[in-house]
């Protein structure tokens, strides 16, 4: 079973990510614990709503958190795809899902996720991370300790440093 980092621990990944598709009506979503693309969720919403505990949704970097909107709060897991390490739109999507849409479940970073991003992804609200097959997850865990203090406010620290010191 594949492994991932969740809540700063290495765990088994029991979820299957369904690949993106141009024909969302033909995607088989009958398997347990599947994460479907947003367009599949939108196309099969009436069928999938009854299985929300076994269904997750993933957003691509060009899809806005607003497109999932308040539906997000009802899912156990939402994933955000990073097609490249230089594409930062997923950071914004995570923060919006947590702060605007009240998502409290597992927020997973998928795609091209590298060790150097983990600390910052966590600051935006991600708590689950799928790294490449060649990544050493034990070493990647150390990235959560790369910095001992943060200056800016974020999802994980509501006050900036100058307010915390005052």
């Amino acid at each position: 079973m594949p492994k991932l980092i969740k809540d700063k621990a290495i765990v088994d990944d029991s979820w299957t990510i369904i690949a993106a598709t141009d024909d969302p009506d033909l995607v088989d979503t009958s398997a347990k614990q599947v994460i479907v693309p947003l367009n599949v969720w939108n196309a099969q919403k009436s069928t999938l709503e009854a299985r929300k505990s076994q269904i997750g949704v993933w957003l691509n970097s060009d899809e806005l958190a607003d497109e999932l909107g308040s539906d997000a709060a009802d899912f156990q897991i939402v994933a955000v795809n990073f097609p490249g390490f230089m594409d930062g739109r997923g950071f914004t999507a995570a923060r919006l899902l947590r702060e605007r849409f009240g998502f409290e479940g597992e927020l997973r970073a998928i795609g091209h996720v590298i060790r150097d991003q983990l600390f910052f992804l966590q600051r935006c609200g991600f708590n689950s991370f799928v790294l490449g097959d060649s990544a050493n997850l034990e070493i990647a865990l150390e990235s959560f300790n790369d910095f001992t203090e943060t200056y800016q406010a974020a999802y994980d620290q509501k006050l900036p440093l100058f307010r915390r010191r005052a």
Side-chain angles (χ1 to χ4, degrees), residues 35-145:
I35 304 172
V36 299
L38 179 63
N39 69 338
V40 173
W41 166 251
N42 288 332
Q44 298 186 28
K45 188 174 182 177
S46 59
T47 306
L48 297 176
E49 277 189 313
R51 298 185 48 221
K52 272 194 178 173
S53 66
Q54 295 293 311
I55 297 288
V57 172
W58 68 267
L59 302 173
N60 210 359
S61 64
D62 61 344
E63 297 170 324
L64 302 174
D66 295 5
E67 295 177 56
L68 185 56
S70 59
D71 284 347
D74 297 329
F75 285 104
Q76 184 177 341
I77 184 171
V78 173
V80 178
N81 184 44
F82 289 82
F85 79 95
M86 293 180 60
D87 189 338
R89 294 176 287 184
F91 289 86
T92 302
R95 191 121 186 231
L96 290 172
L97 287 166
R98 293 285 193 202
E99 295 176 358
R100 183 180 295 168
F101 299 111
F103 180 68
E104 296 179 355
E106 180 180 339
L107 188 53
R108 182 179 288 192
I110 62 173
H112 191 85
V113 178
I114 60 175
R115 176 209 186 276
D116 294 350
Q117 296 171 315
L118 297 184
F119 180 84
F120 302 104
L121 288 165
Q122 174 190 268
R123 298 220 60 224
C124 292
F126 286 99
N127 67 319
S128 176
F129 314 90
V130 177
L131 282 77
D133 293 336
S134 63
N136 183 324
L137 297 183
E138 292 290 339
I139 292 173
L141 281 174
E142 296 172 12
S143 67
F144 294 109
N145 300 317

